[in-house]
Amino acid sequence: MRQHSHYHSHNYRGGAMAAALVLLLPFLLPNLFTPFSHALPSILSEWNAPKPRHSSLLKSALQRQTSDEQLADLWMPLNNERWNPCFRSQSTSPLPEKSQGYIQVFLDGGLNQQRMGICDAVAVAKILNATLIIPHLEVNPVWKDSSTFMEIFDVDHFINVLKDDISIVKELPDEYFWSTREYYATAIRATRVKTAPVHASANWYSENVLPIIQSYGIAAIAPFSHRLAFDNMPEEIQRLRCKVNFQALAFVPHVRALGDALVSRLRYPRLTSEVDSTNYLREVSDSRDKQGTGKFVVLHLRFDKDMAAHSACDFGGGKAENLALAKYRQVIWQGRVLNSQFTDEELRSQGRCPLTPEEIGLLLAALGFDNSTRLYLASHKVYGGEARISTLRSLFPLMEDKKSLASSEERAQIKGKASLLAAVDYYVSMHSDIFVSASPGNMHNAMVGHRTYGNKKTIRPNMALLGQLFLNKSLTWPEFQEAVVDGHKSRQGQLRFRKSRQSIYTYPAPDCMCNA
């Protein structure tokens, strides 16, 4: 028996030494790990937990009090500006009996970029009177999610909603079985269009893509992201793009079911806090007392390592963190990052630094959100982990996310799949009372457009103002609060009309909205 114990003791000591050696390797042989730094979190930066950078403001924010009048104003829905969604165009053309041929698109980027690409693909199919093959979603090199269109979106709903606009097929017809991503990756092919300019006109597609379809029966466009103009488009095409985005693109049932469960648990925390033994999705009956319905804010906190490094800003993690992010920039972008030529102060004063969890917490507190606010954190991964989020959590102790609201069994179908995780966050965001994003980006733009379409409150942080305020270390809490409130009065989802070259998916009015 002693031999058995001795064997395990020896193994334990050996295992502990091996583990210690593994942890020390990045320090003993740093060059060995440089090529893999984009795939590994910085051990140095995680061991040096960032301290609050605005401790004076934070101290006051933790003691803040908000009057009932302020809270009522804060949660009040947007005024109806008498602009409503409109899908149908006065000049809608009927679906021709015969299609010109097939069109394929290969879409890169994350979920929201791919979503815009899908909308544009439908529009191009309409312009060319072509049959659209359900778009192929490329594997994102950062998120490494191989989820297909049909694993994210309800394909039957998609086809049904658009059945009077374009023809759609789920798979390649047998006669074009060869038209695959692999086929186009191995040589120059006559059926591939790889020169579509950014923001190409409708005429460009008619002159350059239609002849290929007419000659070969199929055309494959890659790359396709941002390859259709927003200006000088027929009204029918513009409204079709919005119809796809806001009506045809519904998530698969299991994503909607999980999203509904999360929304219910945010709105009815007392009624859904008792976890049963199986912890499966619980339905919330429509007959529940609506007076008990709670309100919640969704905060999209895009603060991953990519964003932190690319911004070239200082986030308070000390020399170790700055060195880790500089190395990351060198590996991923070979140092070609425009922001790196400016000082941190210059970047912040121009509003070019993403807000840290601490800073977005101070913004929300200054706007009047108190510590009883239900806050849902929509985020894939926060650089620095819990140490970076702790200040935000101290300001908003009722902060939740997918893991805190749903069991591992409930999350099994989306685990490790960045696009499905993002889809759940998108769904919850669309059902929130207020949405705010800590930095500009595709999710921010998608939400601004979709929530504008539904006349829902969406706070757009004034990045330049906040950057300047956070640089002023002598600012008192009342001064900070007054400046924040004044600087965000017109940034809460009020209707803004699209300007030239701006995206219709961010600014759907006036192209896709009608004045009632």
Side-chain angles (χ1 to χ4, degrees):
M1 182 65 113
R2 279 206 304 266
Q3 274 187 337
H4 186 71
S5 296
H6 176 75
Y7 171 78
H8 279 287
S9 174
H10 177 76
N11 265 11
Y12 175 78
R13 286 198 299 271
M17 289 176 67
L21 184 61
V22 167
L23 287 173
L24 288 170
L25 274 175
F27 298 94
L28 298 173
L29 300 167
N31 292 335
L32 181 65
F33 287 82
T34 301
F36 309 108
S37 62
H38 68 284
L40 298 171
S42 167
I43 293 174
L44 284 167
S45 65
E46 288 183 356
W47 285 356
N48 286 331
K51 297 175 182 177
R53 303 192 77 192
H54 314 287
S55 51
S56 176
L57 292 176
L58 181 61
K59 183 179 179 181
S60 298
L62 288 167
Q63 299 170 351
R64 72 195 184 280
Q65 291 185 332
T66 308
S67 68
D68 291 343
E69 186 181 353
Q70 282 177 297
L71 284 173
D73 184 56
L74 195 60
W75 291 104
M76 187 179 293
L78 288 174
N79 292 327
N80 187 343
E81 298 185 58
R82 299 181 63 79
W83 281 82
N84 299 319
C86 48
F87 288 126
R88 302 305 297 176
S89 169
Q90 294 178 347
S91 58
T92 300
S93 56
L95 186 62
E97 288 185 17
K98 188 180 179 186
S99 163
Q100 294 278 3
Y102 295 93
I103 189 165
Q104 269 181 305
V105 294
F106 298 83
L107 302 174
D108 52 20
L111 176 69
N112 293 301
Q113 184 174 322
Q114 289 172 337
R115 186 184 183 104
M116 291 183 281
I118 293 164
C119 300
D120 286 348
V122 171
V124 169
K126 181 69 173 179
I127 291 166
L128 302 181
N129 179 27
T131 298
L132 177 68
I133 299 166
I134 287 295
H136 174 88
L137 308 185
E138 300 278 20
V139 177
N140 187 288
V142 176
W143 309 124
K144 297 178 172 58
D145 184 358
S146 59
S147 297
T148 66
F149 182 104
M150 288 187 255
E151 290 171 328
I152 301 170
F153 300 106
D154 186 333
V155 68
D156 292 323
H157 174 82
F158 179 77
I159 293 172
N160 185 56
V161 169
L162 299 171
K163 67 181 186 295
D164 296 327
D165 299 292
I166 65 165
S167 298
I168 304 173
V169 294
K170 294 180 183 179
E171 297 175 348
L172 274 169
D174 290 342
E175 64 202 280
Y176 300 110
F177 73 92
W178 45 265
S179 186
T180 63
R181 184 182 182 279
E182 292 71 26
Y183 173 75
Y184 293 112
T186 54
I188 296 171
R189 309 293 186 182
T191 52
R192 180 183 173 183
V193 179
K194 61 185 298 185
T195 57
V198 173
H199 298 156
S201 67
N203 282 342
W204 187 91
Y205 283 95
S206 297
E207 292 170 3
N208 295 274
V209 180
L210 186 57
I212 295 174
I213 295 175
Q214 290 169 335
S215 297
Y216 300 96
I218 190 168
I221 310 174
F224 185 70
S225 295
H226 309 295
R227 291 311 197 271
L228 185 62
F230 292 116
D231 298 335
N232 302 315
M233 282 286 161
E235 179 189 83
E236 177 185 20
I237 297 300
Q238 296 292 65
R239 292 191 178 176
L240 178 57
R241 292 164 102 173
C242 291
K243 182 178 181 179
V244 181
N245 196 27
F246 305 131
Q247 190 176 350
L249 283 174
F251 295 119
V252 289
H254 76 83
V255 166
R256 300 200 305 268
L258 179 55
D260 284 334
L262 299 182
V263 170
S264 296
R265 292 167 199 177
L266 287 161
R267 291 208 183 282
Y268 307 92
R270 293 195 186 100
L271 295 172
T272 57
S273 61
E274 295 158 8
V275 179
D276 57 39
S277 58
T278 58
N279 205 14
Y280 283 110
L281 298 181
R282 296 176 290 274
E283 293 184 4
V284 177
S285 167
D286 289 336
S287 63
R288 279 192 173 150
D289 178 14
K290 294 302 180 186
Q291 290 181 343
T293 300
K295 297 181 184 298
F296 70 97
V297 179
V298 167
L299 167 60
H300 180 245
L301 187 58
R302 171 88 196 273
F303 198 80
D304 52 44
K305 192 170 185 176
D306 258 49
M307 173 166 278
H310 197 270
S311 71
C313 300
D314 183 344
F315 297 108
K319 290 182 180 178
E321 180 176 88
N322 289 338
L323 180 62
L325 292 177
K327 282 186 175 181
Y328 186 89
R329 276 194 295 277
Q330 187 61 39
V331 170
I332 301 298
W333 300 288
Q334 291 75 50
R336 295 191 299 270
V337 174
L338 181 64
N339 280 7
S340 58
Q341 61 187 288
F342 299 100
T343 66
D344 181 70
E345 186 171 332
E346 287 171 331
L347 292 170
R348 290 188 181 280
S349 64
Q350 295 169 29
R352 292 165 71 172
C353 292
L355 298 177
T356 64
E358 176 190 5
E359 290 167 344
I360 195 71
L362 290 170
L363 164 65
L364 293 173
L367 287 171
F369 293 101
D370 62 16
N371 62 6
S372 68
T373 302
R374 303 281 296 178
L375 195 66
Y376 176 84
L377 193 60
S379 172
H380 178 68
K381 192 175 184 181
V382 173
Y383 178 61
E386 185 58 36
R388 185 83 69 183
I389 301 175
S390 59
T391 309
L392 175 63
R393 198 179 296 282
S394 69
L395 288 166
F396 297 98
L398 300 183
M399 188 168 72
E400 307 277 10
D401 58 21
K402 289 180 285 292
K403 285 187 178 180
S404 68
L405 288 171
S407 70
S408 56
E409 291 90 347
E410 291 171 310
R411 292 182 280 110
Q413 284 183 277
I414 64 170
K415 184 178 180 182
K417 297 178 179 178
S419 292
L420 291 175
L421 291 164
V424 171
D425 283 341
Y426 191 107
Y427 188 90
V428 175
S429 298
M430 275 307 300
H431 288 78
S432 66
D433 298 278
I434 298 172
F435 175 85
V436 58
S437 181
S439 58
N442 287 331
M443 177 67 167
H444 168 87
N445 293 339
M447 276 296 119
V448 167
H450 207 153
R451 290 177 66 87
T452 293
Y453 204 69
N455 198 42
K456 295 184 176 184
K457 188 171 276 192
T458 307
I459 297 172
R460 296 182 300 111
N462 188 331
M463 303 296 284
L465 170 68
L466 291 167
Q468 292 161 20
L469 292 177
F470 286 128
L471 283 171
N472 186 349
K473 299 301 180 185
S474 64
L475 213 58
T476 65
W477 177 252
E479 290 169 337
F480 176 77
Q481 190 170 26
E482 183 181 1
V484 165
V485 171
D486 287 346
H488 289 82
K489 282 179 180 175
S490 61
R491 302 178 68 88
Q492 302 197 19
Q494 294 90 341
L495 191 69
R496 292 186 300 157
F497 292 114
R498 189 179 72 83
K499 298 175 184 176
S500 177
R501 298 183 67 82
Q502 287 184 329
S503 170
I504 197 171
Y505 307 120
T506 308
Y507 305 98
D511 303 78
C512 302
M513 300 183 76
C514 306
N515 191 333

